Amino acid sequence: MPIAEQEMKDRTGDACELVPENMRRLGRLQLPELSEVEVVRHFTRLSEMNYGVDSGFYPLGSCTMKYNPKIDELLADLPSFTMLHPYQDETTVQGILEILYKLERWLAELTGTREVCLQPSAGAHGEFLGTLLMRAYHKSNGNCEKRSEIIVPDSAHGTNPASATMAGFKVLVVQSDNDGCVDLDALKAAVSERTAGLMLTNPNTLGLFEISIEEIAKIVHNAGGLLYYDGANLNPLLGKARPGDMGFDIVHINIHKTFGTPHGGGGPGAGPVGVSKELCKFLPVPRIVFDGERYHLDYDRSGSIGKIRGFYGNAAVLLRAYAYILSLGFEGLREVAEVSVLNANYLKKKLEQVKGLTLPYNAERPRKHECVFSAKPLKNETGVSALNVAKRLLDYGLHSPTIYFPQIVDEALMIEPTETFEKEEIDRFVNAVQKICEEAYVNPETVLKAPHNAAVSRLDEVKASHPKTMALSWRMYQKKNKSNLQTP
Ligand SMILES: Cc1ncc(COP(=O)(O)O)c(C=O)c1O
């Protein structure tokens, strides 16, 4: 008998005999056979090819890739949390319930909302919950069928219209004005008795604060709609201004961005949603309540839309947020906002001097957390696009910014330095961008063919993300390899 099978038998005894024969695994597991040193070398090499916030500047606009304090990781990893089971009786999990209850209260305080639900797993999931809450609200007013439209600005993140569509709404897009903010006349023309609500992020994706927010809220509310806050850009407002005070009825928070959870590669995340007093009754169950002595899970909410996710949310991410807020305190959070804005504006001033780049939409106005430059002049004059600049930055040992978003900026380079990178690191980035633009005028080929020094060169972007070519496991890789070999 092969060693692996014998080992399995030794470990499980005759237990496998209890599994019906037709459900037993046939043969041995198809695992690669490698020595320890090969495995160590493989993973060490992979880790050296990787780049993260702990390696250097990571200015991925709108993603808020800030440094994630290690103390938060330690807390989330404590066995007293990791060994809990969500089906445990509530009397045995009073500690975590207390933490989640307090976190809800803190987030409500920071966003100016009445109650917060921690369940959604990401910003987009929070948006989806938000649009379902809009539906529940209009339904309770007897207007569910009529209120069928959600308005989004043309600078919105793609998840806003996607979430509204998933919830069954029709999406209307309103233009930005010449200053990059919501065009009030276009908004007035868009609202009607069909309006369920407006989804907006403030500061918007250009990094500009929507100074007419009170007027915007009035227009939407007067039309009978609700105002939804996309909280992806809450970082520069922490402790300074609250969406609830601006007139927003529903607010999501991208916990993984603002409150420091490592979230490269798509996860993990949490997107708690806060609501105004009128909407509390629609929030998903269970709600965590405190009777003055103990914490309870309350399922008895007749107006609730039901559940949006299992249990209480992505607990490990929420624990990190709790630790993050606790360790910084209110003054620390205000400083986060101040330094993130200072860094973005320092970077803006520096990059404004680079030949080939422009800052569309009222360059005079200060930005909040990020600034969006256009490489259109560079492309027109040298053929070097925003994508080429992003690729060349890898040769300088830096992560690229977000590119081609928001879509209202041609050849967009969306740069968010966050509060956690020091002046020297920002200068290193600015110098690299300056050098790349100079190279583009003198020797465009170098930039067009970049990266030259990265672990992998230019990827076929379509192929790299196509389900037919992606192999996410050893078994998938083997299967694909087999079918590739069979393809003539
Ligand atoms: C402005 C904005 N809104 C919403 C989202 C969606 O958030 P998540 O990725 O957590 O689903 C993002 C994500 O980058 C964003 O930048």
Side-chain angles (χ1 to χ4, degrees):
M1 188 181 291
I3 295 172
E5 260 177 66
Q6 181 61 53
E7 216 179 85
M8 183 59 80
K9 200 156 171 56
D10 289 348
R11 268 204 250 150
T12 56
D14 289 331
C16 62
E17 251 109 79
L18 297 174
V19 179
E21 207 171 313
N22 63 344
M23 295 175 82
R24 282 188 217 150
R25 183 185 292 125
L26 292 176
R28 302 180 60 199
L29 277 179
Q30 291 296 305
L31 293 175
E33 291 289 335
L34 297 165
S35 65
E36 180 179 320
V37 67
E38 282 173 297
V39 174
V40 169
R41 274 207 306 263
H42 172 70
F43 284 108
T44 305
R45 198 169 54 83
L46 281 185
S47 75
E48 282 167 353
M49 286 162 71
N50 209 355
Y51 188 94
V53 280
D54 292 352
S55 323
F57 201 51
Y58 205 129
L60 208 56
S62 210
C63 292
T64 316
M65 304 301 284
K66 59 171 73 175
Y67 171 72
N68 312 121
K70 299 296 172 255
I71 182 123
D72 304 351
E73 300 300 315
L74 284 178
L75 179 104
D77 203 29
L78 288 177
S80 39
F81 296 122
T82 54
M83 299 307 281
L84 287 178
H85 194 284
Y87 276 133
Q88 271 178 242
D89 188 89
E90 68 180 32
T91 55
T92 67
V93 288
Q94 287 292 302
I96 182 92
L97 289 184
E98 180 180 350
I99 285 181
L100 297 179
Y101 179 86
K102 283 186 176 161
L103 181 63
E104 281 188 359
R105 296 310 320 139
W106 293 347
L107 295 177
E109 181 58 35
L110 284 166
T111 54
T113 53
R114 179 60 72 100
E115 275 190 40
V116 168
C117 164
L118 299 175
Q119 282 183 28
S121 300
H125 199 191
E127 291 168 23
F128 182 59
L129 168 57
T131 48
L132 294 182
L133 292 172
M134 280 190 195
R135 156 139 326 120
Y137 168 81
H138 291 304
K139 194 170 170 192
S140 75
N141 291 335
N143 283 329
C144 182
E145 297 300 317
K146 216 168 75 182
R147 298 279 171 185
S148 58
E149 293 176 354
I150 287 185
I151 302 170
V152 298
D154 56 4
S155 59
H157 192 259
T159 48
N160 292 186
S163 306
T165 306
M166 268 185 76
F169 290 98
K170 183 177 165 202
V171 174
L172 295 189
V173 178
V174 288
Q175 281 170 356
S176 302
D177 62 17
N178 291 339
D179 283 340
C181 291
V182 172
D183 185 318
L184 295 186
D185 290 333
L187 179 63
K188 282 179 197 155
V191 293
S192 70
E193 70 283 356
R194 293 183 301 282
T195 303
L198 168 74
M199 296 177 89
L200 188 68
T201 181
N202 192 20
N204 64 27
T205 58
L206 295 165
L208 288 162
F209 191 83
E210 296 275 355
I211 38 177
S212 305
I213 186 58
E214 285 172 340
E215 176 70 9
I216 291 171
K218 216 185 270 169
I219 295 169
V220 175
H221 287 151
N222 286 347
L226 294 171
L227 205 56
Y228 180 92
Y229 182 78
D230 172 345
N233 300 334
L234 187 66
N235 206 43
L237 297 194
L238 281 181
K240 293 281 176 184
R242 309 190 307 171
D245 298 338
M246 297 175 206
F248 286 94
D249 307 287
I250 310 171
V251 177
H252 91 242
I253 304 143
N254 291 64
I255 285 282
H256 40 292
K257 300 183 180 183
T258 312
F259 299 105
T261 292
H263 61 282
V273 167
V275 293
S276 60
K277 186 167 166 244
E278 300 72 51
L279 297 171
C280 291
K281 57 177 179 275
F282 305 119
L283 284 176
V285 286
R287 304 288 309 133
I288 302 170
V289 290
F290 183 53
D291 66 9
E293 266 184 47
R294 304 194 75 76
Y295 295 88
H296 304 283
L297 295 173
D298 181 6
Y299 286 86
D300 193 16
R301 301 264 171 139
S302 57
S304 166
I305 63 155
K307 280 181 82 64
I308 191 86
R309 187 197 193 280
F311 309 113
Y312 336 114
N314 199 350
V317 176
L318 298 167
L319 282 168
R320 287 180 176 94
Y322 180 84
Y324 182 88
I325 296 173
L326 197 62
S327 58
L328 285 176
F330 185 66
E331 282 312 313
L333 293 179
R334 280 173 72 89
E335 207 178 326
V336 163
E338 285 164 9
V339 180
S340 70
V341 173
L342 180 68
N343 280 355
N345 285 283
Y346 175 73
L347 194 131
K348 165 185 175 284
K349 276 277 164 220
K350 288 271 183 176
L351 285 182
E352 273 174 338
Q353 292 152 28
V354 175
K355 186 180 169 204
L357 303 184
T358 54
L359 186 71
Y361 297 108
N362 200 345
E364 295 305 310
R365 266 194 77 190
R367 269 34 183 182
K368 291 292 172 200
H369 59 304
E370 66 195 359
C371 43
V372 184
F373 278 85
S374 168
K376 197 174 171 195
L378 189 75
K379 181 155 187 223
N380 289 345
E381 289 157 28
T382 69
V384 167
S385 64
L387 173 77
N388 300 134
V389 174
K391 295 286 181 193
R392 183 68 174 141
L393 275 165
L394 307 181
D395 283 336
Y396 284 85
L398 289 155
H399 199 283
S400 75
T402 298
I403 49 175
Y404 301 105
F405 171 63
Q407 289 174 349
I408 54 172
V409 175
D410 284 333
E411 295 296 322
L413 291 162
M414 184 192 216
I415 311 163
E416 180 176 9
T418 82
E419 69 285 2
T420 57
F421 290 100
E422 62 281 17
K423 181 178 168 296
E424 289 73 16
E425 196 65 3
I426 301 176
D427 286 340
R428 197 159 81 84
F429 175 80
V430 170
N431 289 340
V433 173
Q434 164 100 43
K435 271 203 181 134
I436 293 168
C437 291
E438 283 166 14
E439 279 174 345
Y441 284 98
V442 180
N443 181 11
E445 280 302 294
T446 316
V447 189
L448 289 169
K449 296 207 172 115
H452 306 277
N453 310 324
V456 281
S457 58
R458 211 42 90 111
L459 292 177
D460 180 334
E461 310 261 340
V462 179
K463 208 171 160 195
S465 52
H466 198 283
K468 269 198 171 161
T469 43
M470 250 195 300
L472 301 179
S473 68
W474 171 246
R475 192 182 296 175
M476 211 190 271
Y477 172 76
Q478 278 191 320
K479 227 170 162 181
K480 291 207 162 135
N481 245 6
K482 218 184 207 171
S483 59
N484 281 349
L485 287 176
Q486 280 163 6
T487 318

